[in-house]
């Protein structure tokens, strides 16, 4: 049950066997209404950790943007939320407009 979505650590531990066994964390079941919330929290934390790791390693802002886009695509594949996706599209278009308006042109070739 370690790390299971329906359980949470109590902060206590016990030894298995005759005192020389492994140390096992004692976990307790969540109430029925909290299991789904805990599952969402754990899925989000895992996906966010992967995205943060990729963003922190990458130095190129476009590679960082790709990692953030993958995080959003992962969330959108699991949950329906059209208004948030439309806000993301609008924000990216506004940023593109700002880059075209205020950016310094790169040299070709």
């Amino acid at each position: 049950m370690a790390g299971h979505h329906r359980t949470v650590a109590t902060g206590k531990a016990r030894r298995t066997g005759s005192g020389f066994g492994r140390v096992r964390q004692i976990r307790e079941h969540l109430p029925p209404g909290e299991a789904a919330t805990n599952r969402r929290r754990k899925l989000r934390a895992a996906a966010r950790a992967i995205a943060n790791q990729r963003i922190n390693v990458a130095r190129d802002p476009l590679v960082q943007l790709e990692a953030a886009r993958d995080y959003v695509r992962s969330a959108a594949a699991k949950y329906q939320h059209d208004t948030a996706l439309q806000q993301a599209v609008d924000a990216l278009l506004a940023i593109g407009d700002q880059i075209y308006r205020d950016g310094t042109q790169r040299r070709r070739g």
Side-chain angles (χ1 to χ4, degrees), residues 54-106:
R54 288 179 59 200
I55 289 169
N56 291 336
V57 168
R59 295 291 173 236
D60 183 11
L62 291 177
V63 175
Q64 293 175 340
L65 182 63
E66 185 73 18
R69 184 188 70 98
D70 290 344
Y71 175 70
V72 171
R73 288 176 58 94
S74 174
K78 293 174 181 69
Y79 301 103
Q80 183 71 29
H81 204 291
D82 293 335
T83 57
L85 293 177
Q86 188 58 49
Q87 290 173 353
V89 169
D90 294 341
L92 285 173
L93 289 173
I95 291 169
D97 290 343
Q98 180 183 356
I99 291 171
Y100 271 114
R101 185 179 57 245
D102 302 331
T104 304
Q105 190 170 6
R106 294 179 186 229

